[in-house]
């Protein structure tokens, strides 16, 4: 009798992470097309060695969605078995991405905008979409930002890291010509990315009069915690958002804690996380 590879006694073959992530890109492109949604694949295996240093790996998929299509994509993913691991409001101080998880596909960050490019309403999506390109990922045609825009994404993303050495930017410095850099600098204003671009390259003091100067300085450099909170409060628009920033100082981010622990936190774990903040602030 021939062996049935789908029989219950067959060993389960774990798909290597780098292959699964590329397949996930193809999956989301197919889901978007089926749902009538415009998406752009960003970072990770979408950019791959065309942008990043050789050998760089990724553990999730990043998707930028046309703002008016966001709810449609999220609902389609939830119906297809995905679950929410972190909501927009708890994902980061920029509230820009929702983290989804699927038992087969893994993790995906769904971006309603990309911090440092355009504004929180996703104002830059049309500009990015007009210059989009097609690249096959897992043999499936996927939409990406243009090559120049992709490089800008990498630089702007680095602005959210306070480390002095960034291998992604170092790679771009070593692999691009001065003309390539000038092309990027000429394109940056079209994307409203001047402040974050400068912060990533250590040029933020040129924008010391900008309303969001302190915010980007606080995320791109080692900054005292009280200044980080002040920057978030100043950045928040309107009484409701400012109140939410103040409350977030006191509230434990349960989504983040759950991902950190690998399970839903117990009341005791929440209390421990809450009081640990005061030990950090006291240093």
């Amino acid at each position: 009798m021939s062996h049935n590879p789908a029989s219950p006694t067959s060993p389960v073959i774990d798909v290597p992470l780098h292959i699964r992530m590329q397949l996930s890109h193809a999956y989301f492109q197919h889901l978007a097309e089926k749902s009538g949604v415009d998406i752009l694949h960003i970072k990770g295996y979408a950019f791959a060695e065309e942008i990043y240093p050789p050998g760089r790996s990724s553990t999730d998929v990043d998707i930028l969605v046309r703002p008016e299509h966001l709810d449609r994509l999220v609902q389609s993913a939830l119906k297809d078995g995905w679950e929410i691991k972190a909501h927009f409001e708890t994902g980061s101080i920029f509230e820009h991405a929702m983290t989804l998880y699927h038992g087969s596909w893994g993790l995906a960050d769904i971006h309603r905008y990309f911090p440092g490019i355009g504004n929180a309403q996703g104002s830059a999506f049309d500009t990015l979409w007009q210059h989009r390109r097609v690249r096959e990922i897992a043999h499936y045609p996927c939409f990406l930002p243009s090559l120049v825009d992709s490089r800008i994404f990498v630089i702007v993303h680095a602005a959210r890291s306070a480390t002095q050495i960034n291998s992604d930017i170092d790679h771009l410095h070593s692999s691009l010509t001065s003309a390539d850099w000038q092309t990027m600098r000429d394109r940056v204003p079209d994307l409203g990315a001047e402040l974050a671009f400068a912060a990533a390259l250590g040029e933020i003091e040129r924008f010391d009069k900008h309303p969001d100067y302190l915010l980007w300085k606080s995320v791109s450099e080692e900054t005292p915690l009280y200044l980080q909170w002040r920057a978030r409060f100043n950045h928040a628009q309107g009484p409701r958002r400012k109140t939410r920033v103040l409350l977030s100082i006191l509230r434990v981010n349960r989504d983040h804690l759950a991902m950190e622990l690998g399970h839903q936190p117990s009341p005791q774990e929440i209390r421990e996380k809450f009081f640990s903040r005061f030990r950090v602030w006291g240093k």
Side-chain angles (χ1 to χ4, degrees):
M1 185 172 65
S2 61
H3 176 66
N4 178 6
S7 70
T9 58
S10 299
V12 176
I13 299 175
D14 187 24
V15 178
L17 180 62
H18 71 283
I19 294 177
R20 181 154 45 89
M21 290 298 98
Q22 293 175 69
L23 289 169
S24 294
H25 277 289
Y27 162 86
F28 269 105
Q29 185 65 52
H30 175 72
L31 182 67
E33 291 168 358
K34 185 173 68 173
S35 306
V37 172
D38 294 337
I39 65 171
L40 292 169
H41 301 257
I42 56 176
K43 299 169 52 184
Y45 291 108
F47 290 173
E49 293 185 4
E50 186 177 36
I51 306 289
Y52 289 123
R56 195 181 190 280
S57 61
S58 180
T59 58
D60 63 4
V61 164
D62 289 273
I63 304 293
L64 181 65
V65 188
R66 182 179 292 279
E68 54 267 37
H69 294 174
L70 178 64
D71 290 342
R72 198 185 313 162
L73 181 68
V74 171
Q75 290 306 312
S76 295
L78 294 180
K79 289 178 182 177
D80 220 12
W82 293 77
E83 60 182 273
I84 298 173
K85 300 295 285 186
H87 295 75
F88 289 110
E89 295 76 13
T90 58
S92 81
I93 65 170
F94 293 97
E95 301 183 358
H96 66 287
M98 170 184 284
T99 300
L100 302 180
Y101 173 77
H102 191 285
S104 298
W105 298 108
L107 291 168
D109 280 345
I110 308 300
H111 298 248
R112 55 184 174 186
Y113 81 103
F114 196 84
I117 294 180
N119 60 26
Q121 286 68 51
S123 61
F125 189 91
D126 267 331
T127 304
L128 293 164
W129 185 255
Q130 289 167 9
H131 291 258
R132 69 189 182 279
R133 59 189 167 125
V134 176
R135 179 172 179 267
E136 284 201 353
I137 307 176
H139 303 290
Y140 197 94
C142 297
F143 289 129
L144 279 69
S146 71
L147 182 59
V148 172
D149 290 350
S150 296
R151 291 167 177 165
I152 292 172
F153 265 90
V154 170
I155 293 169
V156 167
H157 182 248
R160 286 187 271 147
S161 171
T163 57
Q164 293 184 340
I165 299 175
N166 186 284
S167 59
D168 295 336
I169 291 183
D170 287 347
H171 177 69
L172 291 177
H173 275 304
S174 64
S175 61
L176 300 182
T177 66
S178 57
D180 292 328
W181 278 92
Q182 189 57 52
T183 300
M184 275 194 288
R185 289 184 180 276
D186 291 343
R187 174 63 169 164
V188 161
D190 297 338
L191 302 179
E194 300 97 315
L195 183 58
F197 191 88
L201 299 178
E203 303 170 1
I204 195 170
E205 297 307 323
R206 292 170 41 217
F207 294 88
D208 61 348
K209 304 303 182 186
H210 193 285
D212 281 336
Y213 161 78
L214 185 59
L215 179 69
W216 283 97
K217 185 176 180 66
S218 72
V219 299
S220 63
E221 300 177 6
E222 291 291 343
T223 310
L225 196 56
Y226 77 91
L227 277 182
Q228 296 175 27
W229 285 109
R230 177 182 163 191
R232 289 183 59 186
F233 182 80
N234 291 347
H235 173 73
Q237 299 297 309
R240 184 176 179 181
R241 288 184 177 275
K242 287 186 182 296
T243 299
R244 197 162 73 205
V245 170
L246 292 175
L247 290 175
S248 67
I249 298 175
L250 300 175
R251 291 175 178 166
V252 171
N253 188 326
R254 297 192 181 198
D255 286 347
H256 271 193
L257 183 56
M259 288 192 289
E260 180 183 317
L261 297 172
H263 61 260
Q264 287 301 314
S266 67
Q268 176 63 26
E269 288 169 329
I270 292 172
R271 284 193 295 271
E272 289 175 356
K273 187 68 173 181
F274 175 79
F275 287 109
S276 71
R277 293 176 168 190
F278 299 101
R279 292 194 293 271
V280 173
W281 292 349
K283 293 180 179 180

